[in-house]
Amino acid sequence: MTAGGPEHNEEPGTNVARLSDPRLHSVGDSTPPERTAGGGLSKQSLTWVLVLGLLLGLAAWIAEVDLVALLSADARRQMWSFIADGIPPNVSREYLLGRTLRDGLLWAAVETVAISIVGIVLAVGLAIPLALVGAANVTHRGPLYDRSSPTTRYVGLALHRIARGVLSFLRSVPDLVWGFLFVAAIGLGPFAGALAIGIHNGGVLGKLYADFLEDTDPLPVEAVYSTGATRLQTVVHGMVPQITPTLVSYTLYRWECAIRSATILGFVGAGGLGYYLTITINRLQYPKLLTAIGAVFVLVVSCDYLSSRLRAAMV
């Protein structure tokens, strides 16, 4: 005699047959079967596809997408003419090395890397304090403030919102605009580019750091705080270790972005390879322009490789 009910007397595979029988979905199962249209997509999926298609079509209309003009014979002829005029690229010693140490394409590449390094260091220095104040569980919410007075929480909330506002402002202004401002303030040169990268990326990194802090596990924070540690000590020993690998990874990624930004900032007089790109475009010196584009490509690929190695070693 079996201990169970009738289901123990069913043949093997009977349960599979019951699940596959559509008539049984209406008995004891309140979830209706998924309705499909066109033999594949459900109505909900089809609705999403139509909505996304309409949005894409609207965006293409606003952006004045014209594939016919892009693929026309005249467009192909103009692009080929540009490439043909740039071949062979100018790789003369005078162009690559210049007449002095600071007067050549290779020095401009070194200057671009230097701008990105100084800029990202400034960004990290700006992002860390703003992120600490901009994280809600550091200033007014969570285990650190369970026993705090309402006044302490209100003050923390006010600081939190001010820091978030500052971070939003810093990253909402493009680094190219920051570059214009700093060139106007301190004159032409790579320092203006480094400041522009530092300010803009400070806002980006600060926002990321603050979000990462707010996503930390509260249990280790409670454990550290219960030992009698101060709030700052709890943040340093209970929160920061949880997010350190992520911080390193995202900081290195922003450094890669900073190298590309440093190239663009040369267009507003911040030095680096962007300055050479501007000069060669204005003077229609296509062989030199092709060499400068090649230098940018080599620089970006090299820095991508270096940052990936650093990320693998540090994370």
Side-chain angles (χ1 to χ4, degrees):
M1 181 178 179
T2 60
E7 65 275 16
H8 293 278
N9 298 323
E10 292 177 355
E11 293 293 330
T14 303
N15 290 335
V16 176
R18 292 179 59 187
L19 291 174
S20 62
D21 189 348
R23 295 172 299 178
L24 299 180
H25 282 285
S26 59
V27 179
D29 183 4
S30 59
T31 304
E34 186 180 19
R35 296 180 179 178
T36 61
L41 295 176
S42 65
K43 287 186 176 180
Q44 186 179 18
S45 299
L46 186 59
T47 301
W48 275 111
V49 170
L50 290 175
V51 170
L52 292 177
L54 287 174
L55 287 176
L56 178 60
L58 180 62
W61 176 71
I62 294 174
E64 299 180 359
V65 175
D66 189 356
L67 295 179
V68 175
L70 177 63
L71 301 176
S72 66
D74 184 60
R76 293 198 303 271
R77 185 170 55 254
Q78 292 292 339
M79 294 179 69
W80 174 248
S81 174
F82 164 74
I83 296 173
D85 290 343
I87 296 176
N90 189 331
V91 291
S92 64
R93 183 182 183 282
E94 180 181 1
Y95 181 56
L96 294 179
L97 301 179
R99 297 177 180 175
T100 63
L101 177 63
R102 295 174 175 265
D103 184 25
L105 186 68
L106 292 180
W107 178 258
V110 173
E111 197 173 64
T112 300
V113 176
I115 292 171
S116 68
I117 292 174
V118 174
I120 208 67
V121 170
L122 289 174
V124 172
L126 185 64
I128 289 176
L130 287 173
L132 289 173
V133 182
N137 54 349
V138 176
T139 53
H140 67 281
R141 192 174 64 196
L144 297 181
Y145 295 89
D146 286 343
R147 301 175 184 174
S148 299
S149 65
T151 303
T152 302
R153 293 188 180 185
Y154 286 141
V155 172
L157 176 61
L159 294 174
H160 162 76
R161 290 184 175 174
I162 291 173
R164 285 285 183 168
V166 172
L167 290 172
S168 298
F169 173 73
L170 295 181
R171 69 175 185 275
S172 64
V173 179
D175 47 13
L176 195 61
V177 176
W178 284 118
F180 270 117
L181 294 175
F182 286 119
V183 165
I186 63 175
L188 301 173
F191 185 47
L195 288 174
I197 290 175
I199 296 296
H200 177 74
N201 284 281
V204 175
L205 288 176
K207 196 262 184 186
L208 291 173
Y209 292 174
D211 289 347
F212 295 151
L213 284 170
E214 290 183 348
D215 290 338
T216 52
D217 187 352
L219 293 180
V221 178
E222 290 178 354
V224 175
Y225 197 49
S226 63
T227 62
T230 64
R231 290 194 179 99
L232 180 60
Q233 290 173 333
T234 304
V235 170
V236 172
H237 298 288
M239 293 184 183
V240 173
Q242 296 186 50
I243 61 174
T244 299
T246 308
L247 295 186
V248 172
S249 180
Y250 274 87
T251 303
L252 288 173
Y253 170 71
R254 289 309 303 179
W255 177 53
E256 296 173 17
C257 297
I259 292 173
R260 289 184 279 272
S261 298
T263 304
I264 301 300
L265 286 169
F267 284 87
V268 296
L273 286 171
Y275 173 76
Y276 274 78
L277 290 172
T278 306
I279 294 297
T280 53
I281 289 174
N282 291 336
R283 296 178 181 175
L284 304 180
Q285 297 173 331
Y286 295 128
K288 291 185 176 180
L289 176 60
L290 212 59
T291 306
I293 292 174
V296 174
F297 174 73
V298 172
L299 186 63
V300 170
V301 171
S302 301
C303 292
D304 284 349
Y305 174 76
L306 178 61
S307 64
S308 64
R309 294 297 299 268
L310 286 173
R311 189 182 297 113
M314 299 174 66
V315 177

